[in-house]
């Protein structure tokens, strides 16, 4: 996925977006969605960095060590973006130039939209899907057949200056085009960037569930791991009622008196059609001493939108239990298909994930508070790696980690994306790179030095 817009002093060969358009003339909407997925946030952060149109200002470069050839090698220009290895978009060294795709000179937006990041991003989308700058007159934009009516309206509104930032435009455009993007995927419109396979000896394994538990071996000093794939995620003192049990303490040691100030369920997070949200207490009854998110009080009945990383505090500000809430990227593996899914003994499902924008949310105690459970709120995917001591560490990076836990078809899966063929074992079998395993109760999972007993409920 696109990772950065910063220039690289050691610039490797790259592929210009203008070259893609010269060869293909139009890019399908699902490929545009993958190509530009990370651009909105990056453009909002660097809105004034460049003034030239994005289609001529950006180029594609493979991330270090992700491909055996450069973007200019082979026939990458004509291939589906879903086939590309992990890549980033970066500014071209000559981004201030006026290169076009042979359709017209660079147009000037009138009034307040001149050079605005949302308008420029909208024009990038418009050109990638086959629109032409000459079809834009003033603030009017000619509809294109590749977009539905709602999608065309969103692009036109952005060109007229109707969005304050790129992320607002992107959410509206993806929402308008969601059905069309999904339909192309069902019809095989996009070639998947990764093809995973279930080992033959695991084809008969299937166990639907919404909680995955990984219990470390007796010699481990690390906490158990729990992945919860439910619409509500609870945090509090109770081990039985909370998905993320908490205890107050100092330097990793529990303090029973301080912990009594925490409610059995002190706060909860919810995934709804409107997005992610936080509530105080269990969503109906308030907690004993209240809770805040980024110093704003939570209410048990009125949800507060969870749109990014922040600090959740139980109790009085400055004296309460604090933990960081971190939504992690999603859609990094949405284009990966399981090649032999038809041979699997489970029941494939087309059900959408609980939340599309993020793959998971992690919770990290602050101020040296003890960690009882390494619990994750999982929607679709979370990447990780294992330290030499056997600890699972969740990846916050935009690019993929070596391993990924996924939730698909109502089941939990583990994908080996790039570890060596002997690094991951499930029972007595090896999970090779490029393979994906359905996880079921009773299995023993070994990743490097880590050993876990698997259970699904």
């Amino acid at each position: 996925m696109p990772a950065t817009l910063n220039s690289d002093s050691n610039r490797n060969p790259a592929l210009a977006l203008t070259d893609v358009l010269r060869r293909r003339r139009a890019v399908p909407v699902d490929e545009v969605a993958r190509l530009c997925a990370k651009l909105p946030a990056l453009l909002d952060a660097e809105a004034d960095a460049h003034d030239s149109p994005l289609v001529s200002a950006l180029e594609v470069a493979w991330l270090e060590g992700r491909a055996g050839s450069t973007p200019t090698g082979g026939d990458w220009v004509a291939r589906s973006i879903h086939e590309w290895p992990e890549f980033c978009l970066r500014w071209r060294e000559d981004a201030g130039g006026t290169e076009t795709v042979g359709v017209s000179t660079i147009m000037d937006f009138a009034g307040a939209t001149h050079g605005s990041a949302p308008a420029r991003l909208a024009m990038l989308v418009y050109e990638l899907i086959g629109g032409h700058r000459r079809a834009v007159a003033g603030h009017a934009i000619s509809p294109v057949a590749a977009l539905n009516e709602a999608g065309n309206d969103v692009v036109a509104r952005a060109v007229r200056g109707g969005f304050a930032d790129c992320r607002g435009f992107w959410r509206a455009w993806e929402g308008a085009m969601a059905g069309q993007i999904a339909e192309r995927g069902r019809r095989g419109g996009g070639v998947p960037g990764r093809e995973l396979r279930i080992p033959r000896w695991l084809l008969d394994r299937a166990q639907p569930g919404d909680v995955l538990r990984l219990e470390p071996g007796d010699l481990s000093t690390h906490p158990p791991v729990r992945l919860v794939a439910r619409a509500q995620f609870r945090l509090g003192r109770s081990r039985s009622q909370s998905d993320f049990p908490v205890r107050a303490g100092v330097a990793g040691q529990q303090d029973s008196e301080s912990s009594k100030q925490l409610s059995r369920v002190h706060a909860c997070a919810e995934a709804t059609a409107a997005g992610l949200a936080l509530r105080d207490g269990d969503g109906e009854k308030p907690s004993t001493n209240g809770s805040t998110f980024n110093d704003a009080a939570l209410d048990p009945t009125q949800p507060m939108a969870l749109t990014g990383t922040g600090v959740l505090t139980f109790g009085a500000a400055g004296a309460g239990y604090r933990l960081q809430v971190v939504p992690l990227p999603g859609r990094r593996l949405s284009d990966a298909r399981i090649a032999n899914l038809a041979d699997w003994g489970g029941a494939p499902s087309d059900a959408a994930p609980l939340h599309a924008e993020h793959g998971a949310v992690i919770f990290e105690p602050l101020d040296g508070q003890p960690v009882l459970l390494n619990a994750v709120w999982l929607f679709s995917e979370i990447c990780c790696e294992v330290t030499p001591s056997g600890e699972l560490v969740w990846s916050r990076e935009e690019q993929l980690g070596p391993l990924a836990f996924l939730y698909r078809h109502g089941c939990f899966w583990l994908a080996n994306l790039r570890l060596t063929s002997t690094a991951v074992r499930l029972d007595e079998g090896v999970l090779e790179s490029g393979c994906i395993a359905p996880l079921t109760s009773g299995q023993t999972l070994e990743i490097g030095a880590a050993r876990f007993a698997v259970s699904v409920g």
Side-chain angles (χ1 to χ4, degrees), residues 16-25 77 99-102:
L17 290 187
T18 50
D19 292 337
V20 176
L21 280 180
R22 284 194 183 95
R23 177 69 176 271
R24 302 181 64 182
R25 306 303 301 173
V77 174
E99 182 178 3
T100 67
V101 194

Side-chain angles (χ1 to χ4, degrees), residues 127-344:
E127 290 189 85
L128 286 172
I129 60 177
H132 299 286
R133 292 197 189 114
R134 62 170 172 249
V136 182
H139 292 305
I141 185 168
S142 298
V144 288
L147 297 182
N148 58 25
E149 182 177 357
N152 275 303
D153 287 346
V154 170
V155 171
R157 182 151 58 99
V159 171
R160 294 194 303 267
F163 291 93
D165 55 39
C166 292
R167 282 170 288 193
F169 159 72
W170 190 253
R171 284 193 297 268
W173 184 79
E174 277 197 315
M177 299 302 300
Q180 196 166 325
I181 292 171
E183 180 62 24
R184 274 192 55 83
R186 285 192 292 270
R187 292 188 287 107
V191 179
R194 298 167 193 82
E195 188 172 86
L196 302 169
R197 298 191 66 84
I198 306 171
R200 183 176 300 178
W201 49 280
L202 289 172
L203 284 171
D204 62 344
R205 305 291 182 89
Q207 186 177 356
D210 54 21
V211 179
L212 171 67
R213 297 177 178 86
L214 302 177
E215 294 291 336
D218 294 337
L219 300 179
S220 175
T221 59
H222 302 297
V225 177
R226 180 185 295 172
L227 283 77
V228 179
R230 289 194 288 249
Q232 187 181 70
F233 188 92
R234 296 183 166 197
L235 305 95
R237 179 165 49 87
S238 172
R239 288 179 180 268
S240 60
Q241 298 179 43
S242 295
D243 300 305
F244 193 101
V246 298
R247 294 288 187 277
V250 179
Q253 302 299 314
Q254 298 182 36
D255 179 71
S256 58
E257 289 302 316
S258 298
S259 296
K260 291 178 182 178
Q261 304 302 311
L262 305 173
S263 298
R264 289 183 174 87
V265 178
H266 206 103
C268 63
E270 298 174 339
T272 68
L276 303 182
L278 296 170
R279 295 177 188 258
D280 181 53
D282 61 7
E284 297 178 359
K285 298 179 181 179
S287 64
T288 301
N289 293 301
S291 55
T292 63
F293 184 68
N294 288 340
D295 297 328
L298 296 179
D299 186 273
T301 58
Q302 298 297 321
M304 177 186 293
L306 172 59
T307 58
T309 299
V311 176
L312 180 62
T313 303
F314 300 158
Y321 176 98
R322 303 193 312 147
L323 68 165
Q324 190 170 46
V325 183
V326 186
L328 297 179
R331 301 178 180 171
R332 294 176 294 184
L333 283 167
S334 60
D335 61 313
R337 73 183 188 95
I338 301 175
N340 57 344
L341 184 64
D343 300 325
W344 178 52

